[in-house]
Amino acid sequence: MECNTTNNTEQVQYVDTEYSADSVEWCPIDGFKDVLACGTYQLEDAAQDSNQDENSSSSQSQPHRRRLGKLILYTLHADISSESASDATGNKPLQENQALEMPAILDMKWCCQSILDRPCLAVANAEGQVILYSTLPDDGKREGYHLEQLSSHSIVPSPDEQCLALSLDWANAKWNSPSQIVVSDSKGKLNLLDVTSDTVAMTSLLQWDAHGFEAWIAAFDYWQPSIVYSGGDDCRFKGWDVRTPCYKPTFVSKSHQMGVCSIQSNVNREHLLATGSYDENILVWDTRQMRQPLSETPIGGGVWRLKWHPKHGRLLLAAAMHNGFHILDCDTITENQSQPIVASYMEHKSLAYGVDWCRQDGITSNYGIPSNKTDDTDQLQDALSQCSVDDSGDRSGVACSASKTTQRRTGDEPIQVSPKRTVPNVDASVLQRTKANNETDISAKTDIEEFLASCSFYDHSLHLWKFKH
């Protein structure tokens, strides 16, 4: 699958991160949405001992190569729209605020709720630690922020045991629920941590064996935070109910043919879930029916990260390792059909690992929502949100299989799923007026421009780019 950069994406800025970059995350907290964190991973060169006996046994252990990392904090100046533009001082859009040396970073996530009235960033590192940082404004004259460590927790039982914390996720992306973190590790285990609200200390609630090899990814169901999903190098995608001891999964899927390395629940559209794998396919699921995915889309590279659009959840952003970054249109999900790729960004020269949508106000906006929205539109949207979904291209929610009863894994009452769309309590005149308003508005709409950040590994680069749609 050969892809080129599409004409609706444009590079804004390139940054050399010095170490190999593998994670980028925009802050979701109001007042801090111009803050970007970048995590890096660098394997230290092996020490060369010139006095080592050439006749020493070949079984002698090799020098330990440390995994080094940096956590780099940037601020975005949104009034600069291209790399050729700059302010009076020649500043670029992304300004580095701070760089912290630490063990190599495998993943990181911002908490979607403030902790101690500040944004909180959780970092998973190569020494099996989860570290929480608070974001504070700089005291100096220049605008910017810096990070201060709040607490740390090791998922490794013994300091001598080598175990990497591979991924993490917060439970409270949708609901203002207790702050919990799920962490996956290189031993195939999942770890559930609780974060206390007053001291921000982390305590272990549960640890269990989830996969036979590396557990590459763990993620909460944001609509049901008691449900956790995981993917591993054993080619298995699994579900877990953390209200139980997790002796066995709620389901096991073999739909992916290689290691499962990315999972994300859609915070804006209930029951919608996406998974990605080294098999180069993105699968979209209805969580009420996990026997088979709704759609499968080949992306031409291992799918290391997936990010639903934070405002509406109709676009899906993918980091495809050897094949750049792509945006899929998931507005309409039709069974057994691929999702259209509406944009590609191919300017990186190495493995595409980290990617995220910028959430800063004034840059992002609701995709596909008419600006002349009327009360009729509100009524129609409220009604459509109650609709079941068919395979004919209905945009009101998640596509479902043929009419039958399915059972939620969490013990809810059976859900009747019908292939026919019904629109309750909407007068026909409302449908006609809303259609007319939307058709008029679409012809007059201007392009929406959004900023994204992405990073790639061996060329240790961070890119800021635009997507127009």
Side-chain angles (χ1 to χ4, degrees), residues 293-369:
L294 296 172
S295 70
E296 178 176 336
T297 305
I299 206 73
V303 187
W304 187 251
R305 280 295 174 265
L306 290 169
K307 297 287 182 70
W308 291 104
H309 194 287
K311 294 286 187 179
H312 50 69
R314 298 183 188 123
L315 297 174
L316 180 61
L317 178 60
M321 297 182 71
H322 291 284
N323 198 40
F325 300 90
H326 307 280
I327 298 175
L328 280 63
D329 184 354
C330 297
D331 192 12
T332 299
I333 300 175
T334 304
E335 287 190 84
N336 303 319
Q337 293 188 18
S338 297
Q339 303 306 128
I341 298 174
V342 296
S344 297
Y345 183 77
M346 307 295 293
E347 301 305 308
H348 286 268
K349 307 303 180 184
S350 182
L351 293 176
Y353 270 160
V355 70
D356 199 15
W357 303 92
C358 180
R359 296 163 173 80
Q360 185 173 359
D361 297 336
I363 297 178
T364 59
S365 56
N366 290 338
Y367 172 70
I369 301 299

Side-chain angles (χ1 to χ4, degrees), residues 255-331:
S255 295
H256 283 293
Q257 303 305 306
M258 298 180 71
V260 180
C261 44
S262 56
I263 301 171
Q264 194 178 51
S265 169
N266 192 320
V267 75
N268 292 290
R269 300 170 70 187
E270 189 175 9
H271 311 306
L272 201 59
L273 183 78
T275 63
S277 165
Y278 289 126
D279 67 9
E280 304 184 353
N281 290 313
I282 295 175
L283 306 184
V284 177
W285 302 80
D286 180 344
T287 58
R288 295 167 295 185
Q289 198 283 97
M290 299 301 292
R291 295 183 184 89
Q292 62 183 19
L294 296 172
S295 70
E296 178 176 336
T297 305
I299 206 73
V303 187
W304 187 251
R305 280 295 174 265
L306 290 169
K307 297 287 182 70
W308 291 104
H309 194 287
K311 294 286 187 179
H312 50 69
R314 298 183 188 123
L315 297 174
L316 180 61
L317 178 60
M321 297 182 71
H322 291 284
N323 198 40
F325 300 90
H326 307 280
I327 298 175
L328 280 63
D329 184 354
C330 297
D331 192 12

Side-chain angles (χ1 to χ4, degrees), residues 45 146 314:
D45 291 338
H146 68 278
R314 298 183 188 123

Side-chain angles (χ1 to χ4, degrees), residues 23-91:
S23 181
V24 289
E25 297 287 330
W26 289 99
C27 183
I29 302 299
D30 288 340
F32 294 83
K33 292 180 179 179
D34 57 343
V35 176
L36 174 68
C38 178
T40 65
Y41 179 113
Q42 188 77 25
L43 193 61
E44 184 183 45
D45 291 338
Q48 300 296 324
D49 186 353
S50 59
N51 297 322
Q52 184 176 359
D53 183 2
E54 294 181 359
N55 297 321
S56 61
S57 170
S58 60
S59 63
Q60 184 176 356
S61 62
Q62 297 297 316
H64 174 61
R65 301 179 66 185
R66 293 186 303 158
R67 297 179 176 92
L68 308 176
K70 283 185 180 180
L71 176 55
I72 312 171
L73 200 68
Y74 299 91
T75 302
L76 174 65
H77 296 276
D79 56 332
I80 303 175
S81 59
S82 66
E83 188 163 17
S84 60
S86 61
D87 59 21
T89 63
N91 289 330

Side-chain angles (χ1 to χ4, degrees), residues 121-172:
L121 178 67
V123 175
N125 71 29
E127 294 185 357
Q129 298 172 326
V130 178
I131 304 179
L132 300 183
Y133 293 92
S134 179
T135 307
L136 301 170
D138 278 343
D139 295 330
K141 293 182 179 180
R142 69 180 180 85
E143 295 181 358
Y145 306 93
H146 68 278
L147 297 169
E148 289 185 359
Q149 182 173 326
L150 294 172
S151 62
S152 66
H153 178 84
S154 177
I155 61 173
V156 184
S158 169
D160 298 329
E161 183 178 349
Q162 291 191 24
C163 180
L164 284 68
L166 296 178
S167 77
L168 59 80
D169 197 18
W170 290 87
N172 57 6

Side-chain angles (χ1 to χ4, degrees), residues 109 111 115 120-124 130-132 167-172 178-184 190-195 202-203 205-206 218 220 228:
K109 296 287 192 312
C111 182
I115 295 180
C120 181
L121 178 67
V123 175
V130 178
I131 304 179
L132 300 183
S167 77
L168 59 80
D169 197 18
W170 290 87
N172 57 6
S179 297
Q180 293 183 350
I181 300 173
V182 64
V183 186
S184 68
L190 297 189
N191 305 263
L192 183 65
L193 309 179
D194 181 68
V195 182
M202 288 175 282
T203 57
L205 297 177
L206 188 63
F220 283 99
V228 166

